Amino acid sequence: MKRIIVTGGLGQIGSELVPFLRNKYGKENVIVADIRKPENVDEIEPFITLDVRNEEAIISAIKENDVDAMYHLAAILSAKGEENPQLAFDVNIKGLYAVLEAGRKTGLERIMIPSSIAAFGPETPKDNTPNDTILKPRTMYGISKVTGELLALYYWEKYGLDVRGVRYPGIISWKAPPGGGTTDYAVEIFYYALKGEKYTCFLREDATLPMMYMPDAIKAITMLADAPAENLVHRADFNIAAMSFSPKELVEEIRKYVDFEVEYKPDYRQKIADSWPRSIDDSAARKEWGWNPDYNMASMVKDMVKNLKKKLGL
Ligand code: NAD
Ligand code: AKB
């Protein structure tokens, strides 16, 4: 991997993955691609406007920029996807197909595609969820993630296109806002707590979900990208775990730093959360490429409070 395109590079994960990759490969060798143009485009350069549903445009971007690898992050997340399932199908499934076809036709060396705990469904065992288990998600987002996992295996076995990915839990971070998921409460809540405002949580207080702090999310996907192919039994379906907590447990931890009021008003997102696991068995990732997380809930909250206070000027 020498020249990399990051699709959806302006999103929550891209905003932190891009600086990491630029530090490693050089600024000019990591091209940010997104459907929206940033206001501060001069700071983001090299940047291209790209709709991942347009295969020809992806092929041109790969050729014109002499790209050999891609992190494909462009997607519609779970909550936004249930508000507009047709858009989620279009971007997440047709867009992924366009990316894989462009990768196959141009001979990309590697494509990284994040999956999600949304690949699981109500019939999946909820605790210590195994890597290889029942995948019957009920959201369009989850269906697109299972499709991606299967297509990654297909393109590898049929064409030798090296497509890999992890099943991210909810990602918590302070640099860029989350993009419309069921786990977004676990980021939003910090802003309300630190400003001393009352937070209305859209999940129940006991809705336990697997979560991960952004530095571990970046570590996981880049470790997997660099792992020797011969060590991998799985492809784009690696469970990875770091912590699991409920909104109530997160509130208790944040209250060690600031006091704030919370009320719980579960909405349609509770049903999505109910269909996802509470905790994850990540032994395959540990065995095949040496995964282990650095942050637990306590160290994540401490770091979030410190960095967000600085960011908000508090
Ligand atoms: P995000 O919503 O923050 O960012 C997605 C980006 O994709 C946005 O910048 C958006 O403008 C762009 N985009 C949307 N449609 C596009 C299109 N047609 N063409 C090009 N760009 C388009 O998402 P994220 O949180 O950064 O997630 C990145 C990847 O990680 C996704 O595949 C997501 O499913 C996965 N993931 C994220 C989480 C999480 O908690 N953030 C958890 C599990 C998996
Ligand atoms: C979402 O809630 O949609 C994402 C995810 C877990 O995939 N954060």
Side-chain angles (χ1 to χ4, degrees):
M1 291 174 31
K2 292 189 194 73
R3 298 262 303 165
I4 303 166
I5 281 194
V6 183
T7 74
L10 298 178
Q12 186 193 9
I13 295 177
S15 299
E16 303 208 33
L17 178 65
V18 167
F20 180 92
L21 294 175
R22 284 183 169 171
N23 199 30
K24 187 168 172 186
Y25 296 99
K27 186 172 194 290
E28 67 289 355
N29 292 322
V30 180
I31 295 111
V32 178
D34 207 290
I35 197 165
R36 59 191 162 106
K37 201 171 172 190
E39 277 167 24
N40 56 342
V41 70
D42 292 349
E43 291 164 35
I44 308 275
E45 294 284 10
F47 170 84
I48 53 171
T49 310
L50 179 74
D51 184 338
V52 293
R53 292 167 290 185
N54 184 342
E55 186 191 315
E56 285 312 311
I58 302 170
I59 290 176
S60 299
I62 291 171
K63 288 185 176 164
E64 281 162 21
N65 293 283
D66 200 16
V67 158
D68 62 3
M70 184 183 291
Y71 280 79
H72 173 49
L73 306 182
I76 305 298
L77 274 73
S78 60
K80 247 170 115 177
E82 287 316 286
E83 284 165 9
N84 191 344
Q86 292 72 23
L87 177 68
F89 184 91
D90 231 36
V91 174
N92 297 4
I93 297 184
K94 289 193 197 160
L96 173 68
Y97 181 68
V99 161
L100 293 175
E101 279 296 285
R104 177 180 74 80
K105 289 174 185 170
T106 56
L108 284 188
E109 180 188 320
R110 189 142 309 148
I111 304 180
M112 302 304 295
I113 54 163
S115 186
S116 161
I117 53 164
F120 301 118
E123 290 84 4
T124 309
K126 283 212 175 305
D127 296 303
N128 210 23
T129 301
N131 209 98
D132 303 312
T133 185
I134 302 164
L135 299 175
K136 286 171 73 178
R138 301 298 204 281
T139 59
M140 187 60 87
Y141 176 67
I143 291 166
S144 75
K145 290 302 178 191
V146 176
T147 306
E149 293 181 3
L150 293 173
L151 285 175
L153 181 61
Y154 185 84
Y155 273 73
W156 170 244
E157 291 187 346
K158 190 159 179 83
Y159 301 115
L161 183 63
D162 194 340
V163 187
R164 307 177 179 185
V166 291
R167 288 178 180 144
Y168 276 138
I171 306 300
I172 297 157
S173 67
W174 56 269
K175 282 191 185 151
T182 305
T183 58
D184 289 14
Y185 90 85
V187 177
E188 284 168 11
I189 197 167
F190 281 93
Y191 288 82
Y192 285 80
L194 290 176
K195 289 183 196 158
E197 292 169 8
K198 178 177 166 182
Y199 182 64
T200 303
C201 183
F202 57 75
L203 295 185
R204 271 196 331 261
E205 64 172 14
D206 63 347
T208 299
L209 289 169
M211 300 279 185
M212 180 173 286
Y213 197 31
M214 185 64 89
D216 278 333
I218 303 300
K219 174 176 160 181
I221 196 130
T222 51
M223 267 184 90
L224 176 58
D226 291 341
E230 61 272 21
N231 294 355
L232 303 183
V233 179
H234 297 82
R235 299 297 316 169
D237 54 351
F238 282 102
N239 281 3
I240 51 168
M243 60 188 93
S244 280
F245 55 75
S246 65
K248 185 167 182 252
E249 287 164 334
L250 180 60
V251 168
E252 279 164 13
E253 192 62 35
I254 297 174
R255 280 192 180 139
K256 290 181 183 167
Y257 299 87
V258 280
D259 198 20
F260 71 115
E261 205 187 327
V262 182
E263 73 169 333
Y264 296 91
K265 278 196 180 164
D267 64 16
Y268 71 100
R269 289 167 280 193
Q270 181 60 49
K271 190 174 165 210
I272 302 176
D274 284 338
S275 73
W276 291 354
R278 282 186 287 262
S279 63
I280 297 289
D281 170 12
D282 61 3
S283 48
R286 286 174 186 266
K287 187 169 164 214
E288 292 174 42
W289 46 276
W291 162 247
N292 75 300
D294 292 327
Y295 286 86
N296 58 23
M297 182 170 72
S299 52
M300 175 275 290
V301 170
K302 187 174 178 198
D303 204 63
M304 279 290 285
V305 168
K306 186 182 91 188
N307 283 300
L308 264 185
K309 267 187 168 174
K310 225 184 284 171
K311 180 179 168 183
L312 299 173
L314 299 167

